[in-house]
Amino acid sequence: MKKLLNFVADCDAQEVAELAVVLPILLSLIFGVFSFARAYNIYSTITRAAQAGARVAVAPICTTCTQSCPWGTTAYPCDTTVTQAVKDAMKASHLDVTKIAQPSPLPNPSACPDPNLAKSCAAASDGSNVYICRNVALNTTTTNTALQTCGTIVSFQYPYEFIPVPFYTVGTVSIPAVAQARVEY
């Protein structure tokens, strides 16, 4: 105890001044690393959630079943089932599903070359902000329409507010999530 008191008594004002300069920089660096790590974690979580929704959207219910959805009769899941898959994946990582926002800009992919499939791009009919594009061309880089595959694109945004860092204010950013899946026949 006596050594500690001697150490404190021997401190110069220079050491206190160095601490006053270095401590804010060190704390800013630590908070910045934490903030960007959390933003990346949210990005990977919402991307995984969009992938889960796209996977559900393209998997047929059964080979002989159909159901009536707001956009027509289909053998594929309705929007409510797709958005529930998105929400379930986000809830598993403790993200607030009420913060889901519509993507900006809205995706406008090309229609599927198959004339039997009508393109449908709209916000999910259940009131969530998940945007679902069905029967769209996924690989539009090829000019041969016979080689293009049809599928579904699921997209949305999620807001993230960075931790306030001294000397720098980032505020809130919208992190986009986009996933696509090929239709299973």
Side-chain angles (χ1 to χ4, degrees):
M1 184 68 163
K2 196 171 190 178
K3 287 184 180 183
L4 179 64
L5 291 175
N6 286 338
F7 175 74
V8 171
D10 288 341
C11 282
D12 294 331
Q14 176 186 354
E15 293 167 355
V16 174
E18 288 173 357
L19 179 67
V21 170
V22 172
L23 193 60
I25 295 170
L26 182 63
L27 288 177
S28 296
L29 184 64
I30 290 170
F31 285 143
V33 168
F34 179 79
S35 259
F36 281 101
R38 180 67 179 140
Y40 182 75
N41 175 264
I42 288 174
Y43 168 76
S44 65
T45 299
I46 64 173
T47 300
R48 224 176 20 252
Q51 289 169 347
R55 237 183 347 264
V56 166
V58 297
I61 299 168
C62 70
T63 56
T64 58
C65 308
T66 60
Q67 65 178 340
S68 179
C69 293
W71 44 272
T73 303
T74 181
Y76 295 95
C78 292
D79 294 348
T80 54
T81 308
V82 174
T83 56
Q84 191 59 47
V86 170
K87 290 176 181 179
D88 288 345
M90 291 178 66
K91 286 178 185 176
S93 291
H94 307 290
L95 291 181
D96 185 4
V97 296
T98 61
K99 291 184 178 181
I100 295 174
Q102 258 193 1
S104 178
L106 293 175
N108 188 18
S110 304
C112 186
D114 186 345
N116 299 326
L117 300 173
K119 175 183 165 184
S120 157
C121 263
S125 58
D126 65 352
S128 68
N129 289 318
V130 177
Y131 204 76
I132 303 169
C133 290
R134 297 174 189 265
N135 304 322
V136 296
L138 297 181
N139 56 342
T140 56
T141 55
T142 180
T143 56
N144 186 352
T145 56
L147 296 177
Q148 290 181 353
T149 57
C150 298
T152 298
I153 297 173
V154 174
S155 59
F156 59 92
Q157 289 183 344
Y158 192 83
Y160 175 68
E161 188 172 339
F162 283 91
I163 295 174
V165 176
F167 315 116
Y168 187 71
T169 305
V170 177
T172 303
V173 296
S174 291
I175 303 173
V178 179
Q180 61 184 16
R182 188 174 52 141
V183 173
E184 297 176 14
Y185 295 103

